Amino acid sequence: MAQVLRGGDGMMGGFPLEQWFYEMPVCTRWWMTAALSASVLVQCHIISPFQLFYSVRAVFFRSQYWRLITTFFYFGPLSLDLLYHIFFLQRYSRLLEESSGRSPAHFSWLLTFASTLLLCIAPMFSMAFLGSALSSTLIYIWSRKNPDTMLSFLGLLVFKAPYLPWVLLGFSVVMHGTVPKDEMCGIVVGHIWYYFNDIFPPLHNGHSPLDPPAWWIRLFDGAPAPTEETHEDDAMADHERNPNEAIPDAAPAQ
């Protein structure tokens, strides 16, 4: 499976499995772990796929809120098809998360936005499991952010990265005989994110409407460190309350 797709940045090396696992960024690592765990639990008949799929009626009328999350974890029973999905999930989710910076705030915001949008449109297309759709979203975004990267599919077809979602879509049509609705929806959601995150800002003075809010960033990074201006403001406020005290220097003496 590691030879299915080779990009310009190389494939997984011969690292021990544990090291390879902990080298993955946190969001990708736990999403892949949850996906594999769900398939194993279903294969062992500990849980049923019927307990995992997304249903508006089950979620909002029967209060089964866990389905809002588990629908993104189940990719099917243990099989080659599962390995195919896991391979692309961990590869392109990892590449995209690593490119978003050391903090998981921005990538987790992307996952939250894409998941919410997919949950909203899923009832219109009768999609019960949304893991493949979310994976397709990430693949599309990565492919558009790396337009000059050359890829090889099955060692037969060489193309630039922006064509990757369409190559995978065509492969799914050949394998299953139908156009996969989940992959199409994932591409649409991915394009919405890419447009408002990469195309829209340069046209509107750098304003990016899909940047994570400050409170979301604080959840992951904590409160920002006080700046020199903050210290100066605090000193002025103290001086106003106690005018007889001298205002301390903003910077330490050399």
Side-chain angles (χ1 to χ4, degrees):
M1 181 59 64
Q3 299 300 320
V4 171
L5 190 63
R6 185 181 297 275
D9 53 351
M11 296 296 300
M12 292 184 299
F15 299 106
L17 184 60
E18 182 179 4
Q19 182 179 351
W20 168 76
F21 176 78
Y22 284 106
E23 283 180 347
M24 280 190 288
V26 60
C27 295
T28 299
R29 181 196 314 158
W30 293 114
W31 186 17
M32 190 192 73
T33 301
L36 288 173
S37 300
S39 295
V40 170
L41 291 174
V42 169
Q43 192 74 23
C44 295
H45 302 289
I46 297 176
I47 59 176
S48 166
F50 295 104
Q51 297 173 286
L52 305 177
F53 73 88
Y54 172 58
S55 165
V56 173
R57 182 181 298 275
V59 171
F60 297 105
F61 293 96
R62 299 178 184 174
S63 301
Q64 298 177 0
Y65 299 114
W66 67 84
R67 297 179 184 270
L68 295 172
I69 299 176
T70 57
T71 182
F72 296 100
F73 294 161
Y74 186 63
F75 287 83
L78 298 178
S79 63
L80 288 177
D81 187 61
L82 173 65
L83 293 179
Y84 170 85
H85 283 98
I86 292 296
F87 168 76
F88 284 102
L89 181 158
Q90 69 83 23
R91 175 169 172 76
Y92 292 101
S93 176
R94 175 176 183 168
L95 290 174
L96 199 57
E97 184 172 1
E98 288 175 342
S99 67
S100 65
R102 298 184 61 182
S103 170
H106 286 78
F107 186 72
S108 62
W109 180 254
L110 161 58
L111 291 179
T112 302
F113 170 82
S115 300
T116 302
L117 202 51
L118 287 169
L119 288 169
C120 291
I121 65 178
M124 294 185 287
F125 298 96
S126 301
M127 295 188 300
F129 294 103
L130 302 176
S132 294
L134 183 57
S135 180
S136 295
T137 296
L138 303 183
I139 291 173
Y140 180 88
I141 295 172
W142 178 87
S143 70
R144 294 301 301 267
K145 286 179 174 290
N146 297 270
D148 297 323
T149 302
M150 298 300 297
L151 303 174
S152 174
F153 187 70
L154 298 176
L156 302 174
L157 184 62
V158 179
F159 52 91
K160 288 190 173 182
Y163 293 101
L164 174 61
W166 309 107
V167 170
L168 297 179
L169 186 66
F171 182 71
S172 295
V173 172
V174 171
M175 294 298 295
H176 303 102
T178 59
V179 177
K181 296 180 293 184
D182 51 355
E183 292 185 26
M184 284 296 299
C185 290
I187 289 174
V188 171
V189 172
H191 185 72
I192 293 173
W193 175 272
Y194 173 74
Y195 176 82
F196 284 105
N197 196 65
D198 291 82
I199 298 177
F200 183 89
L203 302 176
H204 296 80
N205 300 320
H207 173 65
S208 180
L210 294 185
D211 278 348
W215 63 266
W216 183 270
I217 296 177
R218 286 196 298 269
L219 287 177
F220 296 89
D221 300 342
T227 62
E228 188 172 306
E229 293 182 359
T230 303
H231 288 303
E232 292 179 358
D233 292 342
D234 291 343
M236 290 297 296
D238 291 339
H239 179 68
E240 291 176 358
R241 289 192 296 267
N242 302 284
N244 294 328
E245 292 185 5
I247 301 177
D249 292 337
Q254 298 295 325

